[in-house]
Amino acid sequence: MHPQALPADPLPAHRLSLARIAAAPARIAPEFLQSPQYDCEPLSAALGCTVTLKVETVNPIRSFKGRGAERLVAAALESEPRRPLACASAGNWGQAVAWSCRRRGAQVRVWAATTANRLKVERMRALGALVRLEGGDFDAAKAAARAWAAGTGARFLEDGLDVEAAEGAGTMALELTAAGGQWDAACLPLGNGALLTGNARWLKAALPGIRVAGVVASGAPAMRDSWLRGPGAAVVETTAARTIADGIAVRVPIPEAVADMHGLVDVVHAVEDEALRDAMRLLHRHAGLVVEPAGAAGLAGVLAARADYAGARVVVPVCGGNVDPSRLGEWLLGAP
């Protein structure tokens, strides 16, 4: 894939670079590139708007995270090939980093919460990661991982902080706009921020006037609350993150990721878990896709603010398909 011509940059001083997003595909394994994108007619009819799906579940780790991990792991190993690597994950980032490390003959230590999705933990280990379960949620596991890295001199690969992760994720938008498509809005999940900011960075430049929305779970509002405080304000931490969407269950925002949102994000929707389940069921019924709660958050945002999207052309990424097997029937089919 050849780099696209750079659009005019409305935010030339932004931390994320349009030039690096355009060049990123050359550093990403082809397994994670050129994911399916199409207008889903039955889903569009059900929602009253034209929904373009960008399907990121048909790759070796069933999520978009491979794009950013490929960029970041490659850069880390090129600059310091002997330095140990560590990260923290709810599951998908850890799989992505483990896959990228294995591809390059390296190993990574991954911290996850004791409550982490067992399917994701099993897959991280199968991909060669040394997984340690510590802390009651993602942010507690992240604190433990960061402390271990600081004590040992390991490189801590942080999704949302390291620009490579966001710029790698931004290659989704690069592919969306390559064929000249036009959209009125994009609605994307908001966890640590890399997915939203990487894609918003390219979309806002390539498609002036597009409205970019992030989506958080109502039970994990820290990123939304931090963004609403405005540029330069301290982030808002919460004591708990209560949602079925482990991939966006953030209670301690990364200040740099929140800062990256300003000038790129127009609105952040907060959705209840029931809306996430409804979105999962709609994607299964109308697109034949098995999608985890966080991966369906973009569509849940459209559902929650349906009047705002009526008649519009809307991009919705389907970001992850690692569903807890024990909850599959309940979440997708409504069965107990």
Side-chain angles (χ1 to χ4, degrees), residues 28-36 55-67 69-70 91-104 119-120 122-128 292 319-322:
I28 298 172
E31 289 91 334
F32 297 105
L33 298 173
Q34 299 302 327
S35 59
V55 183
E56 294 286 313
T57 61
V58 284
N59 60 53
I61 62 168
R62 305 185 200 173
S63 90
F64 79 95
K65 297 281 190 180
R67 294 175 182 262
E70 278 284 276
N92 287 345
W93 177 245
Q95 288 182 72
V97 173
W99 192 94
S100 294
C101 284
R102 188 180 69 176
R103 181 181 179 223
R104 294 167 174 83
L119 172 64
K120 296 179 181 181
E122 290 170 7
R123 288 306 305 153
M124 287 190 287
R125 287 180 169 143
L127 289 165
E292 65 187 271
C319 317
N322 291 299

Side-chain angles (χ1 to χ4, degrees), residues 251-287:
R251 62 175 178 81
V252 183
I254 298 168
E256 292 85 351
V258 176
D260 289 342
M261 293 169 61
H262 296 298
L264 297 178
V265 178
D266 298 292
V267 64
V268 178
H269 305 301
V271 301
E272 301 294 335
D273 281 358
E274 190 55 42
L276 293 168
R277 286 188 285 265
D278 288 344
M280 293 169 67
R281 292 165 186 163
L282 283 170
L283 286 163
H284 186 246
R285 182 180 310 126
H286 295 303

Side-chain angles (χ1 to χ4, degrees), residues 229-245:
R229 297 186 76 173
V235 298
V236 178
E237 298 183 10
T238 59
T239 57
R242 298 184 177 91
T243 175
I244 62 171

Side-chain angles (χ1 to χ4, degrees), residues 101-120:
C101 284
R102 188 180 69 176
R103 181 181 179 223
R104 294 167 174 83
Q107 191 169 61
V108 63
R109 288 172 170 80
V110 181
W111 270 252
T114 57
T115 55
N117 179 319
R118 295 299 155 180
L119 172 64
K120 296 179 181 181

Side-chain angles (χ1 to χ4, degrees), residues 32-230:
F32 297 105
L33 298 173
Q34 299 302 327
S35 59
Q37 57 189 62
Y38 62 95
D39 292 350
C40 183
E41 293 184 15
L43 192 56
S44 299
L47 294 179
C49 58
T50 301
V51 178
T52 301
L53 297 179
K54 182 68 168 162
V55 183
E56 294 286 313
T57 61
V58 284
N59 60 53
I61 62 168
R62 305 185 200 173
S63 90
F64 79 95
K65 297 281 190 180
R67 294 175 182 262
E70 278 284 276
R71 284 271 290 112
L72 180 54
V73 170
L77 292 176
E78 286 170 8
S79 63
E80 299 175 291
R82 297 184 182 279
R83 189 177 179 186
L85 300 176
C87 72
S89 177
N92 287 345
W93 177 245
Q95 288 182 72
V97 173
W99 192 94
S100 294
C101 284
R102 188 180 69 176
R103 181 181 179 223
R104 294 167 174 83
Q107 191 169 61
V108 63
R109 288 172 170 80
V110 181
W111 270 252
T114 57
T115 55
N117 179 319
R118 295 299 155 180
L119 172 64
K120 296 179 181 181
V121 171
E122 290 170 7
R123 288 306 305 153
M124 287 190 287
R125 287 180 169 143
L127 289 165
L130 299 174
V131 180
R132 180 168 178 174
L133 303 180
E134 188 170 349
D137 62 18
F138 164 72
D139 284 298
K142 188 181 192 180
R146 188 184 286 113
W148 182 87
T152 61
R155 169 71 188 272
F156 185 58
L157 306 175
E158 188 164 2
D159 189 23
L161 176 60
D162 290 311
V163 294
E164 293 90 347
E167 290 166 352
T171 59
M172 292 166 58
L174 199 67
E175 293 169 9
L176 280 162
T177 60
Q182 296 290 322
W183 293 274
D184 303 303
C187 199
L188 304 96
L190 173 56
N192 274 319
L195 172 67
L196 177 59
T197 59
N199 282 279
R201 182 72 172 104
W202 185 268
L203 288 172
K204 281 290 189 179
L207 301 174
I210 192 171
R211 182 172 181 261
V212 175
V215 184
V216 300
S218 296
M223 286 293 286
R224 177 179 184 267
D225 292 350
S226 296
W227 173 73
L228 286 172
R229 297 186 76 173

